[in-house]
């Protein structure tokens, strides 16, 4: 490790009608459109949006860490 | 928004032998028997009950938010 | 204090187009319709709902403490 | 466990001139007048009310968990 | 909800000589110059800068959530 | 900055019948009677005292930071 | 309440060979030697010092709130 | 309960390519090789390891509680 | 202090039908069977197990710190 | 202060083989390549990466605050 | 321990151009001018003040505990 | 990753007369005597022990994560 890495963390909220994992995955896929070197995800908060007294979709707040090379 | 909404939040623990999402869903279904306008769910804590060294069921503490119309 | 008091705390979310204090006040007023001896309020969380890039209303989560006499 | 249990949690503040345990006990006794299947108590916060520079009574905030059968 | 939404959250500090609400509003207005679909604001921290022993301005840290369409 | 500054932080609870900002201001004014170089205020907790089911006054816990020159 | 109260909070650690309540009480008694209007105590942290593998004394960190009249 | 139970809690991180529940299960299975009376699991933190901009596996930190009989 | 000490902390849950202090004490006594140099205890969480709507026993989670000499 | 400042906060992870301060410094230096008016840094979390049972480098999560002029 | 000790904790912010340890040390040295029996320091928060995009000095918030003999 | 890894985390307190990094290093070195595959360290808490009003040594609580192969 000659030049030490610097990582940036951003906070996203992914959503899914299926489950928690899929909501996280949707956030990662969306981030991967513009960020190249995502390294890890931290799940911060899990919520559900409810419609007509049933869970309509899962909303999961995540923090993504990625290598900061050129911004 | 002429008359501003007031929401109430209650705390339930749902359980399920299947997974986390099903435990949350069981809590919402049970609440929906007596509450009409559930709006959101916040997942507060996730635990498992273990029997004979295997996960017997998931226990998920949730906070439900619902519109307070007539109590 | 011969018989010691027991208090109950409930969690409400008040909202207002004006400001934080008014959102708290709306929650207290709504609670006062069915609860007789509210003693204190704890402000737990403050959020805004945004519409068309402007703050549409304040949403303040509060915990109300009240004397538990007859439920 | 054919039909999975759902528990509800409520927050009370018990008080006592004697000690912490008695304040918790007073909250449980008061709750037991209207709730049938209390399962556990979580101690959330401990405070004292002071009068004339002496501890007048202990105030302990607790969360009670109970089986939700028919509300 | 065919394609699930992904939201991004950023953290700003708004300031105001008037009050807390105005400091939050200044942060939202500044963000609205470059972000199109702000959905909510979470108030994270409130501080005051003091000059000559008087409150000079309010500094409120907020997290803004907005729909992530094209970055 | 030849000799580095040391700051002290103290915790006060200001109260006001008007609003949160005024309660903070009252705490600062009271502190300014005996402290010379207050630099910042951190809002720690906001509560209301309720009388006859209406908010009687706001109680805001703040931490004040000030330069420690001669105590 | 014409002139609103301002309270100050200080943090003490009381200790006792007997129990938690006695450790809190020792902190209050010590504070009462120099402070006139203590109003409440918040229990912040409870620890034990252990000697020869037995609990030697309880150490309880408390925050005391008192009316600030003349410092 | 003549002789009161003492439980020990340890902290593990389970991982899985499938989902959160499977990661928790792997931690429990691994612990069950050397611990006899696991009673409960608390989910502490959920993260993902990301490779080539896709979630490679889930990493879930759990605390396991087990009856301490002979260590 | 020529060779600096290293301490280890473990987490136990002690229980007692009597009170909080006794539950902590039971955890320490059990730990003292296999650990030689316990130095301090931190009380982390206090709960009660309830049976037939009465407190059956206190469950106190503690962290014990001890000198690490030979493991 | 005619036009009130708005600050933005971003979260970075700096790393260094030397020490904590150097890891923070590396994060600031990297940020300074693209951000002009950094005002403060908050240290959020400190970790070490370990290789062959020795600390290989320090990883420090920081939040940087900077004046938001033109984004 | 015939008469149990009572400790007081105060909160200071030390600063240094060199490093974190030096900032803590400056806070302790300043406190030692007026306090006789400082026993321990808890590091609460670490920040940096940044000038011209470089770390100008470290600001470390600490809590000092000292024996309360005569105030 | 055919067989998913399980990691264990333990909590140690390292101490040093020199600085924070050295205290962490001492904890890692001590752990490395009996643990083979330490992977990471999380710094949890930093304190100083003070003697004669000077910092005598740094005490840093860390959590070590290591691969659990055979216990």
């Amino acid at each position: 490790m000659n030049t030490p890495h610097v990582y940036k963390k951003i906070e996203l909220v992914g959503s899914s009608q299926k489950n928690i994992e899929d909501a996280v995955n949707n956030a990662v896929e969306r981030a991967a459109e513009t960020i190249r070197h995502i390294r890890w995800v931290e799940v911060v908060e899990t919520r559900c949006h409810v419609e007509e007294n049933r869970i309509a979709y899962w909303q999961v707040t995540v923090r993504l860490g990625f290598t900061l090379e050129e911004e």
Side-chain angles (χ1 to χ4, degrees), chain A:
Chain A
M1 201 182 75
N2 293 326
T3 48
H5 284 298
V6 175
Y7 305 91
K8 187 173 179 180
K9 289 164 78 169
I10 58 167
E11 196 158 315
L12 300 179
V13 183
S15 59
S16 160
Q17 291 171 312
K18 283 176 31 193
N19 58 27
I20 295 170
E21 284 84 355
D22 193 51
V24 176
N25 203 51
N26 287 339
V28 173
E29 283 192 357
R30 178 63 188 78
E33 293 175 17
T34 54
I35 295 171
R36 263 190 297 171
H37 299 295
I38 307 173
R39 297 298 183 210
W40 78 90
V41 177
E42 306 165 19
V43 176
V44 173
E45 195 186 52
T46 301
R47 300 171 69 105
C48 309
H49 183 79
V50 178
E51 288 174 0
E52 297 183 15
N53 267 1
R54 300 179 65 83
I55 295 172
Y57 46 92
W58 296 83
Q59 293 174 306
V60 185
T61 304
V62 292
R63 277 197 212 108
L64 275 83
F66 54 95
T67 315
L68 201 61
E69 282 167 311
E70 56 277 270
E71 203 166 35

